[in-house]
Amino acid sequence: MKLFVSEGAPGTLSVLAAAGWAQGRTELLISTVGPEECVVPFLTRPKVPALQLDSGNYLFSTSAICRYFFLLSGWEQDDLTNQWLEWEATELQPALSAALYYLVVQGKKGEDVLGLVRRALTHIDHSLSRRSCPFLAGETESVADIVLWGALYPLLQDPAYLPEELGALHSWFQTLSSQEPCQRATETVLKQQGILALRPYLQKQPQSSFLEGRAISNEPEEEELAALSEEEIAMALAAWEKGLGSLPPLRPKQNPV
């Protein structure tokens, strides 16, 4: 297998740490490529890290690569781990990408950065506290721990962005950071430069579209209302007031759907 990484790419931390868990179970060649080099032949945009399997197939998702390495090490999948990986991709990454861009590229500090990820950090802390387990999915490390640790490490290595009141998160982070595969990964990626090692890579990435503090609401936005005519609004209100009884009866099903 061949693992393609790029200097300063944040996802490299997770995949190198996960590869440490599979060490000795497979032969792995690590190749460093430029951030604009496209190594996956069927993609039109560069995507690293990427793992070329012995079969010739490619994995180009950080969580998928980490999952593959853990499966090689004998780890068994479970639903809770899958839920954490989905949460990391949909909730944590958008906020964290914006925070890292603000901190590393734009030079913002303090609450401007922490405010973007505070909600996500609190969610991890509460989950760890509620389950009274040292790791996200139980008593031992899972691929979810490594994926989240690698994503968070560039930010949380600075104590200023790890609030003291999040004690469970602090303990979880320190436990993983002290393990040998994680230590080797940080030494390889950050090279004693700290978060500044990510700057050359992040400077070539588009600015995150994540909106700080955007409230989630079921109320339609003004622009959406403006697109409707008075007649359409009146028709919608009349249909709502009539209720379900005004709907046409369901047609009988003649065949299986």
Side-chain angles (χ1 to χ4, degrees):
M1 293 188 297
K2 191 173 185 178
L3 177 63
F4 297 93
V5 298
S6 182
E7 290 189 2
T12 306
L13 275 169
S14 297
V15 298
L16 290 181
W21 259 267
Q23 188 174 13
R25 298 177 182 268
T26 183
E27 293 185 5
L28 180 65
L29 175 64
I30 300 177
S31 176
T32 302
V33 299
E36 299 177 354
E37 185 175 345
C38 193
V39 297
V40 183
F42 49 83
L43 295 182
T44 57
R45 297 180 58 186
K47 183 69 174 176
V48 288
L51 179 66
Q52 183 180 17
L53 306 179
D54 294 335
S55 63
N57 294 327
Y58 287 86
L59 299 178
F60 48 90
S61 159
T62 296
S63 62
I65 295 172
C66 292
R67 185 197 300 269
Y68 185 81
F69 284 138
F70 263 72
L71 290 173
L72 288 178
S73 69
W75 170 78
E76 295 183 1
Q77 301 188 65
D78 60 88
D79 290 340
L80 184 55
T81 297
N82 292 333
Q83 291 173 22
W84 274 113
L85 293 176
E86 182 177 354
W87 178 84
E88 187 272 341
T90 59
E91 300 291 336
L92 177 61
Q93 273 301 331
L96 188 59
S97 296
L100 288 176
Y101 193 90
Y102 280 11
L103 177 63
V104 178
V105 179
Q106 296 186 353
K108 295 184 179 182
K109 296 181 179 180
E111 191 60 30
D112 287 339
V113 176
L114 183 58
L116 291 170
V117 295
R118 186 183 295 276
R119 181 178 178 182
L121 298 181
T122 302
H123 173 71
I124 300 173
D125 180 80
H126 287 178
S127 297
L128 290 166
S129 300
R130 185 170 60 250
R131 288 175 51 82
S132 298
C133 293
F135 301 104
L136 296 175
E139 297 295 330
T140 59
E141 307 93 333
S142 71
V143 64
D145 293 288
I146 298 305
V147 170
L148 268 69
W149 171 85
L152 290 168
Y153 186 87
L155 184 65
L156 299 190
Q157 65 172 332
D158 186 343
Y161 299 109
L162 184 53
E164 294 181 0
E165 63 270 19
L166 304 182
L169 173 63
H170 188 277
S171 177
W172 169 85
F173 180 72
Q174 293 299 329
T175 298
L176 288 170
S177 298
S178 64
Q179 297 191 7
E180 185 178 353
C182 296
Q183 289 182 342
R184 290 201 304 265
T186 57
E187 292 170 0
T188 301
V189 176
L190 301 184
K191 300 178 179 178
Q192 299 182 342
Q193 299 179 43
I195 199 169
L196 294 180
L198 308 184
R199 179 176 291 172
Y201 179 86
L202 293 179
Q203 284 177 331
K204 293 181 171 63
Q205 307 306 309
Q207 183 174 358
S208 172
S209 60
F210 181 80
L211 298 177
E212 179 178 0
R214 184 177 182 180
I216 299 175
S217 173
N218 291 328
E219 296 296 326
E221 297 183 359
E222 293 183 4
E223 293 181 0
E224 296 175 348
L225 291 176
L228 300 175
S229 66
E230 293 294 334
E231 181 181 2
E232 290 172 324
I233 295 176
M235 290 174 61
L237 178 61
W240 179 77
E241 289 176 339
K242 290 179 181 178
L244 297 177
S246 63
L247 295 176
L250 295 175
R251 292 180 297 175
K253 299 176 182 179
Q254 302 296 332
N255 300 298
V257 176

